[in-house]
């Protein structure tokens, strides 16, 4: 009888122990699958409720992140400059991507408060020449309307010549049935327009006013979490996210990290992307100058030390981009205003050599077969740029270099803009290449959503790379070729350069192709 009682007590105790174990397992599973709270804001970075290890890689640390509700995003854009904001606006404007949750990481205070741009202020010397293709992008995302509210200058003509007086060429928008070849806009206006566009949409974005300090790709794990998004409830694996840690102590997870943080990209460094490139033995001076009349043409003259460009900016102002040796740049930057203005006029008009004639051999008949088929602008004579009468801004000097990432994409990480490529500014194409990257990447992300592909998968991101890398390399090769061709003052080479100028001036199909290429139409697909 005693044995039977002891047996029943032992069985009861074992049963209770087993039941408690089952309860603990069920409770743990339910807790692990709970739906975390998500936070969205436009003017502050969300904080974790407790400190997070610097580089978590273990399952118990991942569970700690889960407990602390570390925010999770579809896309984290590191760098909220013009190109990064263009990507955000493009994602916000496309039906397939406008529901994505996006984090924008940038310590620039301008992202937290609106610019105070006064129309009567003198132009900022930092400007961009926006091509028709980039203008189309701005229009499609709804940002161009903001640009038009502030100073800008369309130009429908461009004249390019060199100091030898042996050749020149003129381009006009009407030769490709366009109203303008481009528009010169201050960078702060372009940035303000994109920022206004994204702020005036219902796009889910969180702006982190901080800097990226570390980036970790989590190894595969059995841990999972539920995420309630506008497109439905989905289950994410911790191994399918990148973790970003910021300088203010906050952290976040993202399916895709986009490096749009410039030529010294921390994303490129942390992502292990290798680059190829070199520094030019040149610096550029940029500044704003004033005329007595309004300028409507873009002018560029190649000088022995490098090109000088005079770009219209509106209200009798123009922007100067003058390339020269570092010593010359230092000397001209320290000149008084009157001497600098004289140096600019000397470089744009009567200095270094004579004005070009209508052809390589003057009025001879060697180009008569070309002139018969020449475009209307080719039949117009050389013009002298408007005289500069005053310096209207501070002068800024910066070194020039070429740098190109060997790869644009890897698992969970992709590069756009100057993070992927920096170029010589002689044709003003750098920011337009970046805008092309932003549009192409947004289209590839949309394509991935259509077919149900993880937007951070390298196979998808390589499609973006395959589209943009050849186009960018081609443009970089052209610009670098121009830079090197005009770095040598040698008689026979001068003749060859002049012949190239005349060919581009008189051969109509070649001229139209050059204009179309420079406008971006042959390399920047527009919205469907």
């Amino acid at each position: 009888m005693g044995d039977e009682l002891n047996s029943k007590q032992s069985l009861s105790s074992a049963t209770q122990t087993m039941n408690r174990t089952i309860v603990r397992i069920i409770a743990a599973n339910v807790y692990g699958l709970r739906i975390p709270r998500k936070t969205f804001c436009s003017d502050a970075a969300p904080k974790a409720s407790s400190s997070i290890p610097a580089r978590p890689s273990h399952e118990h640390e991942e569970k700690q992140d889960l407990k602390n509700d570390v925010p999770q995003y579809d896309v984290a854009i590191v760098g909220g400059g013009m190109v990064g904001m263009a990507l955000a606006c493009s994602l916000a404007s496309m039906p397939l991507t406008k529901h994505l949750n996006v984090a924008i990481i940038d310590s620039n205070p301008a992202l937290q408060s609106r610019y105070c741009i006064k129309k009567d202020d003198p132009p900022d010397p930092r400007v961009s020449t926006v091509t028709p293709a980039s203008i189309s992008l701005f229009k499609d995302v709804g940002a161009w309307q903001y640009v038009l509210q502030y100073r800008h200058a369309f130009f429908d003509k461009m004249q390019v010549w060199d100091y030898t007086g042996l050749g020149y060429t003129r381009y006009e928008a009407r030769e490709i049935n366009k109203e303008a070849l481009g528009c010169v806009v201050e960078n702060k206006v372009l940035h303000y327009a994109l920022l206004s566009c994204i702020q005036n949409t219902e796009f889910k974005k969180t702006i982190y006013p901080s800097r990226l300090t570390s980036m970790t790709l989590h190894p595969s794990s059995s841990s999972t979490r539920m995420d309630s998004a506008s497109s439905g409830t989905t289950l994410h694996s911790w191994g399918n996210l990148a973790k970003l840690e910021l300088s203010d102590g906050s952290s976040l997870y993202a399916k895709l990290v986009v490096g749009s943080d410039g030529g010294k990209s921390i994303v490129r460094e942390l992502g292990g992307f290798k680059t190829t490139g070199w520094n030019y033995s040149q610096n550029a001076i940029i500044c704003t100058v004033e005329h007595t009349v309004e300028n409507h043409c873009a002018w560029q003259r190649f000088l022995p030390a490098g090109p000088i460009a005079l770009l219209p900016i509106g209200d009798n102002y123009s922007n100067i981009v003058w390339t020269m040796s570092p010593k010359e740049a230092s000397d001209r930057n320290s000149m008084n205003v009157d001497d600098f203005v004289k140096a600019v006029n000397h470089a744009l008009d009567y200095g270094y050599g004579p004005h070009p004639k209508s052809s390589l051999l003057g009025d001879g008949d060697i180009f008569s077969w070309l002139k018969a088929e020449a475009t209307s602008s080719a039949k117009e004579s050389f013009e002298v740029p408007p005289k500069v009468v005053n310096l209207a801004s501070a002068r800024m000097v910066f070194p020039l270099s070429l740098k190109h990432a060997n790869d644009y994409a890897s698992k969970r990480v992709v590069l756009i803009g100057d993070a992927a490529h920096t170029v010589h500014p002689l044709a003003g194409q750098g920011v337009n290449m970046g805008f092309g990257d932003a549009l192409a990447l947004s289209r590839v992300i949309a394509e991935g959503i259509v077919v149900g592909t993880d937007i951070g998968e390298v196979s998808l991101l390589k499609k973006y790379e395959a589209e943009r890398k050849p186009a960018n390399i081609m443009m970089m090769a052209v610009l670098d070729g121009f830079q090197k061709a005009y770095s040598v003052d040698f008689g026979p080479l001068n003749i060859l350069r002049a012949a190239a100028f005349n060919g581009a001036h008189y051969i109509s199909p070649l001229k139209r192709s050059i204009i179309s290429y420079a406008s971006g139409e042959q390399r920047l697909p527009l919205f469907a």
Side-chain angles (χ1 to χ4, degrees):
M1 188 72 175
D3 292 341
E4 182 179 353
L5 179 59
N6 289 337
S7 176
K8 288 182 179 180
Q9 289 175 343
S10 299
L11 180 61
S12 175
S13 176
T15 302
Q16 290 174 359
T17 300
M18 183 174 65
N19 288 340
R20 284 196 297 270
T21 301
I22 293 172
V23 168
R24 282 198 302 270
I25 293 172
I26 293 174
N29 288 336
V30 171
Y31 178 78
L33 290 175
R34 71 183 182 87
I35 299 175
R37 174 175 54 85
K38 294 184 71 69
T39 304
F40 297 99
C41 62
S42 60
D43 58 358
K47 303 279 186 177
S49 60
S50 65
S51 61
I52 298 173
R55 298 180 65 84
S57 59
H58 303 292
E59 184 175 349
H60 71 89
E61 292 170 328
E62 292 167 355
K63 290 180 179 179
Q64 183 68 24
D65 285 342
L66 183 60
K67 180 179 179 180
N68 291 331
D69 291 340
V70 175
Q72 177 183 314
Y73 300 92
D74 295 298
V75 181
I77 301 174
V78 182
M82 292 185 291
V83 172
M85 293 307 299
L87 173 62
C89 289
S90 185
L91 293 173
S93 68
M94 301 176 69
L96 290 169
T97 57
K98 66 181 182 180
H99 301 299
L100 295 177
N101 299 323
V102 175
I104 301 172
I105 302 166
D106 196 309
S107 59
N108 185 352
L111 271 67
Q112 299 302 305
S113 59
R114 295 263 182 161
Y115 282 106
C116 181
I117 301 178
K118 298 180 180 179
K119 294 183 179 181
D120 56 349
D121 285 346
D124 191 274
R126 291 162 294 193
V127 305
S128 294
T129 303
V130 188
T131 63
S134 294
I135 292 173
S136 294
L137 167 60
F138 270 69
K139 289 180 177 179
D140 287 330
V141 302
W144 193 247
Q145 59 178 319
Y146 300 104
V147 173
L148 297 180
Q149 295 174 10
Y150 295 91
R151 181 171 34 234
H152 60 279
F154 288 97
F155 60 93
D156 59 1
K157 294 184 296 183
M158 183 174 184
Q159 180 175 283
V160 184
W161 73 107
D162 73 358
Y163 63 93
T164 65
L166 296 175
Y168 75 99
T169 186
R170 291 173 62 85
Y171 303 108
E172 294 195 8
R174 65 174 183 263
E175 292 169 345
I176 57 170
N177 299 317
K178 297 290 184 181
E179 295 183 357
L181 293 175
C183 185
V184 183
V185 189
E186 294 162 66
N187 289 354
K188 67 179 183 181
V189 172
L190 291 173
H191 194 224
Y192 166 82
L194 292 164
L195 187 57
S196 297
C197 178
I198 200 69
Q199 288 175 337
N200 292 330
T201 68
E202 297 181 355
F203 190 54
K204 294 181 179 179
K205 79 277 184 187
T206 303
I207 297 178
Y208 287 78
S210 188
R211 294 176 292 102
L212 176 67
T213 57
S214 71
M215 179 171 64
T216 308
L217 300 183
H218 276 272
S220 297
S221 171
S222 59
S223 300
T224 56
R225 70 182 287 179
M226 295 297 295
D227 178 25
S228 179
S230 57
S231 58
T233 301
T234 56
L235 189 66
H236 296 295
S237 167
W238 282 99
N240 287 336
L241 299 172
K243 184 175 184 180
L244 306 183
E245 297 190 23
L246 310 183
S247 58
D248 63 0
S250 58
S251 304
L252 61 119
Y253 285 93
K255 297 179 189 176
L256 174 62
V257 180
V258 180
S260 59
D261 49 342
K264 298 179 180 180
S265 171
I266 186 67
V267 173
R268 187 181 64 219
E269 178 183 344
L270 293 175
F273 292 91
K274 303 299 182 182
T275 62
T276 300
W278 49 83
N279 294 322
Y280 295 112
S281 57
Q282 293 177 318
N283 285 1
I285 293 181
I286 63 171
C287 60
T288 302
V289 296
E290 191 173 2
H291 313 285
T292 57
V293 296
E294 190 165 359
N295 179 23
H296 295 285
C297 179
W299 313 83
Q300 183 156 304
R301 187 186 190 194
F302 285 92
L303 304 176
I308 181 171
L310 182 73
L311 307 172
I313 194 63
D315 300 335
N316 290 10
Y317 292 112
S318 289
N319 183 261
I320 291 284
V321 182
W322 193 356
T323 302
M324 60 193 75
S325 71
K327 184 181 184 306
E328 288 176 307
S330 178
D331 292 342
R332 289 197 167 90
N333 190 42
S334 61
M335 284 180 173
N336 64 48
V337 171
D338 290 340
D339 288 344
F340 182 76
V341 168
K342 289 178 182 177
V344 169
N345 286 321
H346 185 265
L348 287 169
D349 186 3
Y350 47 82
Y352 302 95
H355 293 162
K357 297 181 180 180
S358 60
S359 74
L360 179 62
L361 298 179
D363 295 327
D365 295 330
I366 189 170
F367 286 106
S368 59
W369 64 279
L370 292 175
K371 294 179 182 179
E373 299 296 328
T375 59
S376 58
S377 67
K379 298 174 184 178
E380 296 180 4
S381 60
F382 173 84
E383 292 184 13
V384 177
K387 187 176 180 180
V388 173
V389 297
N390 189 33
L391 178 64
S393 77
R395 284 161 279 184
M396 303 178 68
V397 180
F398 56 93
L400 304 181
S401 64
L402 180 147
K403 184 179 291 185
H404 188 253
N406 297 344
D407 297 289
Y408 289 8
S410 66
K411 181 76 170 180
R412 303 274 161 226
V413 186
V414 68
L415 305 177
I416 63 175
D418 284 357
H421 44 74
T422 57
V423 297
H424 197 288
L426 66 85
Q429 290 295 325
V431 73
N432 294 292
M433 294 166 64
F435 289 148
D437 294 345
L439 178 55
L441 179 57
S442 64
R443 290 163 61 99
V444 166
I445 292 173
E447 178 184 336
I449 293 173
V450 167
V451 299
T453 301
D454 182 349
I455 62 173
E457 279 298 322
V458 68
S459 58
L460 177 68
L461 300 177
K462 284 293 182 180
K463 293 183 178 181
Y464 152 75
E465 180 178 309
E467 176 181 342
R468 293 303 302 162
K469 193 174 181 180
N472 289 335
I473 288 176
M474 177 62 72
M475 178 59 72
M476 295 176 78
V478 170
L479 299 179
D480 186 62
F482 268 105
Q483 190 277 334
K484 286 180 167 54
Y486 280 90
S487 295
V488 180
D489 186 10
F490 180 60
L493 181 58
N494 294 344
I495 298 295
L496 289 175
R497 290 196 302 242
F501 265 123
N502 281 278
H505 191 56
Y506 289 112
I507 302 175
S508 300
L510 174 60
K511 190 172 190 178
R512 284 192 291 269
S513 179
I514 291 172
I515 299 172
S516 181
Y517 183 75
S519 70
E521 293 189 342
Q522 294 184 357
R523 57 186 174 81
L524 178 58
L526 306 181
F527 277 105

